């Protein structure tokens, strides 16, 4: 069997959740998910905080910039009603120099798939394009590319920015992934296909427990149902979803990769303790998601 190796270019955060410090960010959740199923990873991230927490977990190499920097979020979880309050408590910085350095050194030989997942503009669109032209199979989570922050650190999505991000990425041979709120209104739901049609990129759009849309540049659209009845902490579930898609992009069709990601995110929410899932569980649940998926031309 061919060796599996995934590149993660993603943010590590220090999250104060209702006042309690936790590690967070897409790098943490993606690395943890892949370590459950013994996937070798190379991680480019902003902070060695990830090394201190995940140093002995799985087969990986973690590379950070010099100097490294913290991304700090304050998260207030709601009670029975209301929305989660998310605020950035650190300066916005990028680690583009590290990405250029690693690619120039040929340190990524043998890597065939990658997840690019910024959380606070620490990775740029130009970085995404550079990586996508070096790695054959790439999924980019646009969350951290389209986030803006007001003077009090509150997060909001700039839809003019998301239009620009999609415009720049639609002609790259990648998968663009995001929550429905992160896409401009004209790209939501079945209209997602119109935003990439005629380009090279494919797109995956999620909406919590709602349907998952998979759009292709030739006009095809597939719709999957998220697995329901998972109750628990959903922080990081989207990062788990994206990381498992990245793993499967190398040797599976996108529909199957999305089904596997759907199964993984469901199990992440349902189980609060590590490990969240096994490879066999992903396979069994993925088949169910595929059976329910419908595709339209």
């Amino acid at each position: 069997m061919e060796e599996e190796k995934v590149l993660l270019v993603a943010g590590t955060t220090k999250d104060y959740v209702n006042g309690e410090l936790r590690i967070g960010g897409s790098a943490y959740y993606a690395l943890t998910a892949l370590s459950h199923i013994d996937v070798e990873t190379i991680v480019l991230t902003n902070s060695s905080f990830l090394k201190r927490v995940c140093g002995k977990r799985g087969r990986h190499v973690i590379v950070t910039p010099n100097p490294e920097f913290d991304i700090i979020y304050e998260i207030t979880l709601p009670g029975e009603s209301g929305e989660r309050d998310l605020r950035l408590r650190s300066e916005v910085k990028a680690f583009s120099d590290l990405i250029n350095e690693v690619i120039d050194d040929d340190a990524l030989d043998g890597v065939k798939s990658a997840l690019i997942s910024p959380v606070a503009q620490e990775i740029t669109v130009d970085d995404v394009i550079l990586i996508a032209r070096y790695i054959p199979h790439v999924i980019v989570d646009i969350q951290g590319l389209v986030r803006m922050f007001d003077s009090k650190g509150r997060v909001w999505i700039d839809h003019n920015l998301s239009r620009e991000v999609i415009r720049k990425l639609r002609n790259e041979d990648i998968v663009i992934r995001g929550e429905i709120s992160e896409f401009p209104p004209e790209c939501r739901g079945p209209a997602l296909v119109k935003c990439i049609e005629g380009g090279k990129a494919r797109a995956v759009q999620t909406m919590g427990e709602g349907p998952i849309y998979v759009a292709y540049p030739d006009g095809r659209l597939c719709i999957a149902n998220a697995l329901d009845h998972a109750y628990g902490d959903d922080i990081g579930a989207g990062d788990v979803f994206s990381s498992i898609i990245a793993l499967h992009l190398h040797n599976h069709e996108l529909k199957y990769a999305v089904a596997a990601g759907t199964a993984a995110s469901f199990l992440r929410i349902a189980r609060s303790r590590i490990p969240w899932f096994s490879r066999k569980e992903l396979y069994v649940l993925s088949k169910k998601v595929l059976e329910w998926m419908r595709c339209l031309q």
Side-chain angles (χ1 to χ4, degrees):
M1 181 174 146
E2 190 175 1
E3 183 73 13
E4 297 171 317
K5 187 184 289 188
V6 176
L7 171 67
L8 302 178
V9 185
T12 297
T13 65
K14 291 181 177 179
D15 293 343
Y16 287 88
V17 182
N18 290 345
E20 178 184 350
L21 176 62
R22 297 187 194 176
I23 187 171
S26 45
Y28 168 70
Y29 289 105
L31 175 59
T32 302
L34 293 173
S35 72
H36 292 344
I37 49 180
D38 198 32
V39 176
E40 183 179 352
T41 58
I42 298 173
V43 188
L44 307 185
T45 193
N46 54 288
S47 169
S48 59
F49 190 40
L50 184 66
K51 292 182 183 179
R52 297 205 293 272
V53 177
C54 299
K56 296 181 180 180
R57 184 176 297 161
R59 297 183 297 144
H60 60 258
V61 175
I62 298 172
V63 185
T64 57
N66 183 17
E68 60 184 54
F69 57 91
D70 286 332
I71 299 173
I72 301 171
Y73 273 111
E74 181 181 323
I75 304 171
T76 303
L77 300 178
E80 293 298 320
S81 61
E83 295 184 356
R84 176 189 304 165
D85 185 60
L86 178 66
R87 302 193 186 208
L88 183 69
R89 297 305 192 196
S90 56
E91 184 181 351
V92 173
K93 294 182 181 179
F95 58 88
S96 302
D97 288 347
L98 174 65
I99 294 169
N100 280 278
E101 178 184 328
V102 169
I103 288 178
D104 287 344
D105 287 347
D106 293 327
L108 304 180
D109 287 348
V111 176
K112 293 185 173 61
S113 63
L115 166 62
I116 306 172
S117 187
V119 295
Q121 299 180 19
E122 73 278 13
I123 300 161
T124 70
V125 172
D126 288 341
D127 295 334
V128 175
I129 293 171
L130 176 64
I131 295 165
R133 292 179 180 175
Y134 190 87
I135 305 296
H137 305 281
V138 170
I139 176 170
V140 55
D141 191 321
I142 63 172
Q143 171 184 258
L145 295 174
V146 302
R147 278 179 171 174
M148 297 292 286
F149 309 94
D150 69 14
S151 60
K152 296 183 178 179
R154 286 176 295 209
V155 180
W156 58 284
I157 304 300
D158 184 334
H159 291 132
N160 285 326
L161 181 56
S162 63
R163 287 184 186 97
E164 182 67 9
V165 166
I166 292 168
R167 185 189 67 79
K168 288 182 176 180
L169 295 180
R170 67 187 301 275
N171 290 316
E172 302 297 325
D173 187 10
I174 61 173
V175 176
I176 301 169
R177 174 269 194 273
E179 290 290 320
I180 190 168
S181 62
E182 293 160 359
F183 286 87
E186 66 272 18
C187 297
R188 295 179 182 176
L192 177 64
V193 73
K194 296 179 181 178
C195 289
I196 60 165
E197 198 166 13
K200 294 181 181 178
R202 296 162 289 169
V204 177
Q205 186 180 99
T206 54
M207 48 186 304
E209 292 186 358
I212 300 164
Y213 294 94
V214 183
Y216 296 83
D218 63 1
R220 284 180 297 147
L221 179 72
C222 295
I223 306 170
N225 293 319
L227 293 165
D228 55 10
H229 305 302
Y231 303 103
D233 184 353
D234 65 352
I235 295 177
D239 302 315
V240 172
F241 174 79
S242 297
S243 68
I244 299 302
I245 292 177
L247 170 64
H248 288 84
L249 280 179
H250 166 48
N251 53 13
H252 291 87
E253 210 279 335
L254 179 59
K255 290 189 299 182
Y256 182 84
V258 168
T262 301
S265 61
F266 170 82
L267 290 168
R268 157 68 187 98
I269 296 170
R271 293 176 180 162
S272 58
R273 293 185 179 180
I274 293 173
W276 297 320
F277 45 75
S278 67
R279 206 176 275 261
K280 183 176 180 180
E281 287 174 317
L282 291 183
Y283 175 74
V284 171
L285 279 180
S286 298
K287 288 181 67 177
K288 291 186 177 181
V289 176
L290 274 177
E291 288 173 4
W292 299 330
M293 190 179 294
R294 60 194 189 278
C295 294
L296 313 169
Q297 180 60 47

